Amino acid sequence: MLSDFDSPKPAETMTTAAVEVTVPDDVSDSQPVAPAIPPSSPVPATPAPTPSHTLIPPAKTRPTLPSAPGFITLLGDTLNDAFFYRSEYSNPTGHYGGDWSRDNIGQTAEGADLDVRRHPSRSGPYTGGEMKTLKTYGYGRYEVVMRPAKGSGLVSSFFTYTGAYEGNPHDEIDIEFLGLDTSRIHFNYFRNGKTGESATFDLPFDAAEADHLYAFEWAPEGITWYVDGEPYYKTVEGDAYLPTTPGSVIFNAWTGKPFMSAWHGKPTFESGAAAHYSCVSFSPMGEETRACSDLFLPRRPSTSHALTAQLSQQPTP
């Protein structure tokens, strides 16, 4: 069981601002909706150019994970092949309904468009778009500004992942949208291939109509998911399914093999439907770094230490 939050109030209109993108120089090879308590009020942002996110300071006795440094990337400025891998490979097994193709990743001044096309491939009758970091990341805050693709059969995701291909157990933390109904958001997580308590929430908007900020904060004590700076969901203390292995940051747009239709809907989407990603960032636990929320939220969100303390548990309907 997980602890849930009150249904957050509709988010304020977001604004964007230009910022110099900082990318590390070195590169390695490589469902239920239920209310509980109101979120804390955000703290007004200051105009200072210093980083504005301070995650829970790690105590000496708290577990740590290896992690690459924090980063922020504005995808309208660069797709940066020295930092992100634009996937180009087949998916003959598993749930994806086609190959990943670099041709399905386009760039505009506003960000990256990852589209899904009705195009025969080695893995099925479709192709999708995916980008992933070359480095891996541990405890900290992960943020994305995005608009999911709309249309039955489509899935738009932002997540961390590691697995057998990297010689690791399957650990994962997800934010997902189904194009069948983009007014809902889905959260999930895995440890060693076993999923924890997934959750689905109704949003006060259609996510496919405008950019919004989505995030999750991963700490040794648990994971908290956010929408436009407001906490939506948190794992309970002692959850046995919390991931423990650093993973790549991945975002993609895809449709699945026929057996996936019961979940994401029949693939009746228009070919070329795209998920749009404007900003991706990671702030390591206990460090202050620039983040997407500094640019896309009018007010600074509070840290999870205040937001998630002593949450009540409520039965789901």
Side-chain angles (χ1 to χ4, degrees):
M1 292 207 44
L2 295 180
S3 302
D4 303 326
F5 297 87
D6 270 340
S7 298
K9 299 178 181 179
E12 300 184 34
T13 302
M14 292 178 296
T15 57
T16 61
V19 66
E20 181 178 351
V21 179
T22 303
V23 177
D25 293 329
D26 58 322
V27 177
S28 63
D29 295 324
S30 10
Q31 305 218 289
V33 180
I37 64 170
S40 302
S41 300
V43 179
T46 61
T50 56
S52 67
H53 284 286
T54 304
L55 300 177
I56 309 170
K60 293 182 179 179
T61 58
R62 296 180 71 204
T64 60
L65 289 178
S67 179
F71 70 87
I72 180 171
T73 296
L74 297 181
L75 295 161
D77 291 343
T78 179
L79 299 183
N80 202 332
D81 286 337
F83 189 72
F84 287 106
Y85 170 62
R86 286 184 270 177
S87 296
E88 181 81 23
Y89 57 87
S90 60
N91 295 294
T93 62
H95 58 275
Y96 295 117
D99 294 354
W100 299 121
S101 174
R102 291 173 62 96
D103 293 338
N104 290 30
I105 302 174
Q107 184 185 26
T108 70
E110 296 181 348
D113 291 328
L114 278 56
D115 60 44
V116 185
R117 302 178 186 176
R118 295 179 178 277
H119 183 79
S121 69
R122 293 163 293 181
S123 308
Y126 310 100
T127 56
E130 179 182 78
M131 295 179 67
K132 62 184 296 184
T133 58
L134 298 177
K135 290 189 173 185
T136 58
Y137 302 84
Y139 296 135
R141 187 179 182 98
Y142 297 77
E143 298 187 345
V144 63
V145 176
M146 64 174 288
R147 296 193 307 269
K150 198 173 186 66
S152 179
L154 294 171
V155 183
S156 306
S157 305
F158 174 75
F159 59 107
T160 62
Y161 174 84
T162 189
Y165 184 81
E166 293 84 8
N168 294 323
H170 172 195
D171 281 14
E172 184 173 345
I173 305 173
D174 296 301
I175 295 175
E176 294 178 309
F177 293 91
L178 303 184
L180 185 66
D181 184 357
T182 49
S183 68
R184 311 188 85 193
I185 189 168
H186 306 265
F187 305 132
N188 200 9
Y189 56 105
F190 293 80
R191 178 175 179 173
N192 198 20
K194 296 181 180 180
T195 183
E197 294 287 344
S198 60
T200 295
F201 286 88
D202 292 316
L203 296 169
F205 52 80
D206 184 341
E209 293 183 350
D211 282 353
H212 287 271
L213 177 81
Y214 307 97
F216 55 83
E217 196 165 279
W218 178 24
E221 298 81 8
I223 309 165
T224 306
W225 287 263
Y226 302 80
V227 177
D228 287 337
E230 299 289 349
Y232 265 55
Y233 203 47
K234 182 186 181 296
T235 58
V236 296
E237 185 176 354
D239 192 322
Y241 297 99
L242 295 176
T244 58
T245 309
S248 300
V249 180
I250 305 174
F251 46 102
N252 57 27
W254 54 278
T255 190
K257 289 183 168 60
F259 71 87
M260 294 293 292
S261 294
W263 177 59
H264 62 43
K266 293 182 179 180
T268 60
F269 61 89
E270 182 179 350
S271 182
H276 178 80
Y277 296 83
S278 299
C279 180
V280 175
S281 67
F282 167 71
S283 300
M285 184 176 66
E287 295 185 19
E288 295 183 347
T289 66
R290 268 300 198 190
C292 296
S293 52
D294 293 315
L295 308 176
F296 291 88
L297 281 185
R299 292 180 295 176
R300 182 190 309 169
S302 303
T303 64
S304 69
H305 181 71
L307 291 169
T308 64
Q310 301 299 318
L311 298 179
S312 61
Q313 296 194 33
Q314 300 229 347
T316 57

